[in-house]
Amino acid sequence: MEVLTVTLNPALDREIIIPYFEPNRLHRIFEREKMNLSPGGKGINVSVILSEWGIDSVSTGFLGGNIGRMIEYEIHRRYRDITTSFVHINDESRENIAVLDECNHTITEINEAGPTVAEHDVTHFIKVFRSLVDYPKTVLISGSLPYGIPIEMYSTLTRIAHEKNTEVYLEARGALLTYSVNTHCADIVRPDLRSDTRIFGKELETMEDYIEAGEKIIEKGAQMVVSSFEIVNDIVFTKDGIWLLSLCDPHVDPSHLLGSGDTYMAAMMYFARKNGPDLLERAKFGMAAALAKTKYLFKKSPTIEEIEEALPKIQIKKIKG
Amino acid sequence: MLIKDAMIRDVSAIFEDEKIETFIRISALHLRHVLPVVDEKMRIIGIISEDDVINETIPSYFGLLQSASFIPDTNQMKRKLSEIKDEPIGKFINRNVITIEEEDTILHAADLLLRHKFMNLFVVDKDSRLTGIINRSRILLGVLQEVLEEKAAEEK
């Protein structure tokens, strides 16, 4: 097994296509293909993308109730390359519903908060994680924490992985990201800035703010920080310098960015496995994957060929170091 | 057909130092009658089943009786369970575990299941690390699939 992905708050994603969707009306769906049910949550998404590129992974976290069993069943039914090792809990896992209306061009999303995890399940999970992390070369920790999980969870997992010399990728946001970086920093960090642009208690606005935050994460021990900047740019930080990665043609439909962060992370892991440890090239490949992904509206990953085609569309400028 | 084509890739497991209470909770929530017991490197060291725990909670002379229905004392089971619920499962596991590898055939698995009256078998790699589980219905489903595929090929 090459990769271990951690999703503490998975979801069953239900996408429904309804033309001219409006409230206070009965909508009947007659065609099966207008509804799509898929396992979700950021770590699981990365496992799914890796599976489509032929890379095995183990996926762990918490699942609960019948929704949880459906998530697990769907993973097994669809993806041969994903091994599951979830802790089953008493509370029900969440379900996220997205109504896609291609006629009115709207997306209506209803996301549940998710379960509360009991303390004894957290204890069991740490044991499971410790035995799973012995094998893979890389661990990905991504997404939010469900209720009941202490904020130090990500730094605890990172510390255990580091004891086994396993490289850790982390994508998280806000206070959780800040805490995790401060306490025991992961190797590759991608701040999730979609709904919260605060790191170290400070709102990021100017490019200087982004640079200050990125440099601080490197100081805390990260090998590389990849931060998106003004949607079409990325700032990449390593110990050797800071680079701005931008698109030659900056026209990207922002509604197609759904899931591009997960594609970015998966692509960096794919690149490292195939081509070795070069950090900047790894980030560039990740950005090319995210760009190639914008061709697709829904949760669908680009092929490796499509990513390679997108590579020349990215320019790199060194801004410091 | 090989095990790797029919198995369920799930490595849910329990550890030797965890409590009977934890086993009961996991097996109930995960709908599993048997759980593999693994070490800190995911190597399988034994199995523990619901039967193992039930056997510990009922009086040993029950096996000698035709029926236990005339004994009104259900408190005995409660009492015994409250005694052992915090004990580590290590005391109750079966360490003579029979496993199977991904490259084995499902015929071999079917033979083992019948011979030992198992409901399922755990799949391991060369280093005894757990990689999944195979049960009777997955074996039947695998064979059925092959039958149907061959039939479809003949009709072409």
Side-chain angles (χ1 to χ4, degrees):
Chain A
M1 231 23 94
E2 307 264 344
V3 173
L4 173 64
T5 65
V6 177
T7 318
L8 298 184
N9 200 5
L12 186 69
D13 288 340
R14 204 184 275 274
E15 293 169 322
I16 313 168
I17 299 174
I18 302 176
Y20 305 108
F21 174 74
E22 57 182 280
N24 272 330
R25 239 192 79 193
L26 170 67
H27 298 276
R28 277 188 204 282
I29 294 140
F30 293 103
E31 293 134 300
R32 193 68 196 82
E33 61 275 12
K34 299 289 182 194
M35 290 199 53
N36 182 35
L37 211 64
S38 63
K42 291 181 78 62
I44 293 176
N45 291 344
V46 169
S47 272
V48 165
I49 298 163
L50 289 173
S51 160
E52 281 166 5
W53 297 338
I55 295 181
D56 293 348
S57 64
V58 184
S59 201
T60 188
F62 299 99
L63 288 177
N66 280 323
I67 301 286
R69 277 189 277 274
M70 269 172 88
I71 294 171
E72 194 171 79
Y73 176 80
E74 285 295 318
I75 293 175
H76 290 152
R77 193 173 66 85
R78 289 162 180 252
Y79 309 105
R80 253 193 74 148
D81 297 333
I82 304 178
T83 298
T84 52
S85 187
F86 286 93
V87 175
H88 286 246
I89 60 171
N90 217 5
D91 265 20
E92 199 80 15
S93 285
R94 64 197 173 121
E95 191 173 343
N96 291 343
I97 301 168
V99 178
L100 311 161
D101 179 350
E102 290 170 308
C103 300
N104 286 330
H105 305 284
T106 61
I107 298 180
T108 310
E109 289 184 84
I110 303 166
N111 286 11
E112 277 182 59
T116 300
V117 181
E119 204 182 327
H120 55 78
D121 290 320
V122 175
T123 313
H124 178 63
F125 170 74
I126 301 258
K127 281 174 145 339
V128 170
F129 180 82
R130 196 183 288 278
S131 67
L132 287 172
V133 84
D134 196 62
Y135 208 33
K137 294 179 195 70
T138 313
V139 175
L140 171 113
I141 303 169
S142 188
S144 60
L145 298 181
Y147 298 118
I149 305 277
I151 194 167
E152 62 264 28
M153 181 56 111
Y154 283 174
S155 35
T156 305
L157 299 181
T158 306
R159 183 173 45 73
I160 296 171
H162 280 168
E163 282 166 14
K164 311 265 176 130
N165 293 320
T166 307
E167 188 175 47
V168 180
Y169 286 63
L170 174 71
E171 182 168 358
R173 66 168 183 261
L176 175 62
L177 175 74
T178 304
Y179 187 94
S180 307
V181 165
N182 273 331
T183 317
H184 196 114
C185 193
D187 303 290
I188 311 289
V189 178
R190 188 179 145 85
D192 178 0
L193 303 168
R194 289 173 303 169
S195 60
D196 189 350
T197 58
R198 264 193 318 187
I199 309 179
F200 301 112
K202 189 182 168 189
E203 196 85 37
L204 305 188
E205 281 162 10
T206 63
M207 187 154 185
E208 284 69 38
D209 295 341
Y210 279 80
I211 288 178
E212 194 190 323
E215 283 184 316
K216 211 163 161 185
I217 301 175
I218 293 287
E219 264 172 45
K220 295 285 177 189
Q223 283 182 47
M224 177 162 71
V225 178
V226 181
S227 170
S228 68
F229 176 66
E230 294 174 340
I231 300 172
V232 292
N233 299 311
D234 278 303
I235 310 176
V236 176
F237 304 77
T238 75
K239 287 180 186 69
D240 303 320
I242 304 171
W243 292 266
L244 182 74
L245 273 58
S246 52
L247 303 181
C248 305
D249 170 21
H251 295 290
V252 173
D253 182 347
S255 72
H256 287 205
L257 289 170
L258 183 74
S260 63
D262 301 329
T263 311
Y264 205 123
M265 294 299 259
M268 286 198 291
M269 293 165 111
Y270 177 91
F271 184 89
R273 181 177 171 274
K274 296 273 176 194
N275 306 297
D278 190 302
L279 289 172
L280 190 59
E281 287 298 313
R282 197 189 303 187
K284 188 181 173 193
F285 193 79
M287 191 177 180
L291 173 64
K293 199 248 143 246
T294 57
K295 261 175 62 177
Y296 302 106
L297 179 57
F298 302 137
K299 277 173 64 174
K300 183 174 179 344
S301 14
T303 64
I304 298 298
E305 291 73 43
E306 284 169 330
I307 300 172
E308 277 161 1
E309 278 167 30
L311 272 174
K313 296 176 188 160
I314 293 165
Q315 51 197 8
I316 301 181
K317 197 175 93 192
K318 192 160 191 172
I319 46 184
K320 201 172 171 182
Chain B
M1 180 173 272
L2 301 177
I3 297 294
K4 65 178 179 189
D5 301 313
M7 66 190 274
I8 302 165
R9 293 182 186 277
D10 184 80
V11 294
S12 299
I14 190 164
F15 302 88
E16 233 185 321
D17 58 353
E18 290 189 284
K19 296 176 193 169
I20 288 288
E21 186 182 338
T22 308
F23 166 75
I24 295 174
R25 196 175 274 123
I26 295 174
S27 62
L29 289 172
H30 210 156
L31 311 177
R32 290 279 172 82
H33 310 293
V34 187
L35 285 177
V37 184
V38 296
D39 67 6
E40 76 287 353
K41 289 181 184 295
M42 260 296 156
R43 288 178 302 218
I44 190 162
I45 57 166
I47 55 171
I48 180 164
S49 70
E50 290 166 344
D51 283 1
D52 297 330
V53 179
I54 290 173
N55 272 329
E56 284 296 322
T57 57
I58 60 171
S60 52
Y61 61 82
F62 269 35
L64 303 171
L65 302 173
Q66 289 281 334
S67 157
S69 59
F70 60 89
I71 297 175
D73 186 15
T74 50
N75 276 332
Q76 182 132 15
M77 200 171 169
K78 269 207 262 179
R79 207 160 43 231
K80 192 72 193 172
L81 188 61
S82 89
E83 270 171 43
I84 63 167
K85 74 172 181 46
D86 292 326
E87 292 201 27
I89 60 156
K91 279 176 75 173
F92 308 97
I93 65 179
N94 178 358
R95 289 173 199 270
N96 290 321
V97 53
I98 294 165
T99 55
I100 196 157
E101 291 189 14
E102 292 191 17
E103 297 297 324
D104 287 330
T105 64
I106 52 175
L107 183 69
H108 181 45
D111 176 51
L112 285 174
L113 286 174
L114 286 181
R115 202 181 289 265
H116 299 280
K117 298 195 169 58
F118 292 149
M119 295 304 283
N120 40 44
L121 277 172
F122 295 103
V123 187
V124 295
D125 67 8
K126 294 264 176 294
D127 304 319
S128 292
R129 283 176 203 262
L130 184 66
T131 66
I133 185 169
I134 180 116
N135 58 30
R136 297 174 174 216
S137 57
R138 292 294 282 224
I139 291 175
L140 288 174
L141 204 61
V143 178
L144 178 68
Q145 219 174 326
E146 276 193 340
V147 169
L148 295 177
E149 276 166 17
E150 275 168 26
K151 212 169 163 195
E154 272 171 33
E155 277 164 14
K156 263 186 189 171

